[in-house]
């Protein structure tokens, strides 16, 4: 897992000016951007907090880190006198991950036989494959390395990597490097 992006709803409005005055490490410049920027060192995430009580949290490397970060942010807000009434509702929007199949991939062959794929080496060195189930996009390189994006759960990443490996093997588009 490289990055998890999630939205969080606190189901209440927030006074961002009060948060800025209470927590010195945050950044808030409403003339430039309507959200308050809240960075954590551990886990290393950034949260954009809006007065609507909604947040966008990025940078988590696992679902566990994401949940820990949200709890830490809410605890810190409460510690600094910011009233938080309910429990935060967290929804993962996108997981970006990388993988290595440890084999070389014949991208020309894969492009000809793999449905929902696009390969234009003059434009981009990887094959772009849109998988229906799980619903993810894979950027596959001849080295066997890949980037997976669009997953909503960590399990979908593992499922997609295993599925594409089996498909490429069946199409005889992989070989030892």
């Amino acid at each position: 897992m490289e990055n998890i992006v999630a939205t969080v709803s606190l189901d209440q409005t927030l006074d961002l000016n009060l948060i800025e005055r209470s927590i010195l490490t945050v950044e808030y410049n409403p003339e430039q951007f309507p959200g308050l920027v809240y960075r954590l060192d551990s886990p290393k995430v950034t949260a954009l907090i809006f007065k609507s009580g909604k947040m966008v949290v990025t940078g988590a490397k696992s679902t566990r880190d994401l949940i820990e970060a949200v709890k830490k942010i809410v605890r810190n807000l409460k510690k600094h006198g910011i009233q938080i009434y309910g429990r935060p509702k967290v929804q993962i929007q996108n997981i970006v991950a990388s993988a290595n199949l440890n084999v070389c991939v014949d991208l020309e062959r894969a492009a000809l036989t793999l449905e929902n794929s696009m390969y234009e080496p003059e434009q981009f060195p990887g094959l772009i494959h849109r998988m229906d189930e799980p619903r993810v996009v894979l950027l596959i390189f001849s080295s066997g390395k890949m980037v997976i994006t669009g997953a909503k759960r960590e399990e979908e990443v593992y499922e997609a990597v295993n599925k594409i490996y089996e498909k490429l093997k069946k199409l005889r588009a992989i070989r030892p490097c």
Side-chain angles (χ1 to χ4, degrees):
M1 303 304 140
E2 300 293 337
N3 183 26
I4 299 178
V5 178
T7 52
V8 178
S9 179
L10 296 174
D11 286 334
Q12 70 180 74
T13 57
L14 296 170
D15 182 343
L16 300 184
N17 290 306
L18 176 62
I19 295 172
E20 182 194 26
R21 287 192 307 271
S22 305
I23 304 173
L24 301 175
T25 56
V26 302
E27 297 165 32
Y28 183 48
N29 189 344
E31 295 81 37
Q32 280 191 320
F33 182 70
L36 179 142
V37 180
Y38 190 126
R39 289 186 175 85
L40 282 180
D41 289 329
S42 178
K44 192 162 176 54
V45 303
T46 299
L48 303 176
I49 304 175
F50 299 91
K51 67 180 172 189
S52 64
K54 300 217 183 301
M55 292 192 263
V56 177
V57 182
T58 63
K61 301 273 189 197
S62 69
T63 305
R64 182 183 293 147
D65 280 357
L66 170 67
I67 300 303
E68 182 189 331
V70 171
K71 285 179 177 175
K72 208 172 194 178
I73 290 166
V74 169
R75 259 194 324 268
N76 204 27
L77 290 172
K78 287 179 177 178
K79 187 176 110 181
H80 286 88
I82 312 302
Q83 296 259 307
I84 305 293
Y85 302 105
R87 292 183 57 196
K89 293 176 184 65
V90 180
Q91 185 172 12
I92 294 175
Q93 299 298 326
N94 185 29
I95 296 176
V96 178
S98 59
N100 189 346
L101 297 175
N102 295 308
V103 291
C104 284
V105 180
D106 181 342
L107 297 180
E108 294 283 349
R109 184 181 192 112
L112 293 171
T113 52
L114 196 59
E115 71 291 344
N116 299 324
S117 293
M118 188 174 77
Y119 179 53
E120 294 180 31
E122 311 81 34
Q123 302 290 320
F124 182 70
L127 178 141
I128 302 166
H129 175 65
R130 296 180 188 283
M131 191 175 277
D132 290 330
E133 193 53 45
R135 194 171 171 83
V136 298
V137 175
L138 298 102
L139 308 177
I140 306 167
F141 300 91
S142 60
S143 64
K145 292 183 179 175
M146 64 178 73
V147 174
I148 306 95
T149 186
K152 303 276 189 193
R153 298 183 345 265
E154 289 183 40
E155 303 79 43
E156 291 176 343
V157 171
Y158 300 113
E159 183 186 342
V161 171
N162 290 326
K163 199 169 176 181
I164 198 66
Y165 178 80
E166 290 305 322
K167 272 188 184 179
L168 292 170
K169 192 166 136 182
K170 186 176 175 184
L171 299 171
R172 295 168 54 202
I174 58 174
R175 60 177 167 70
C177 291

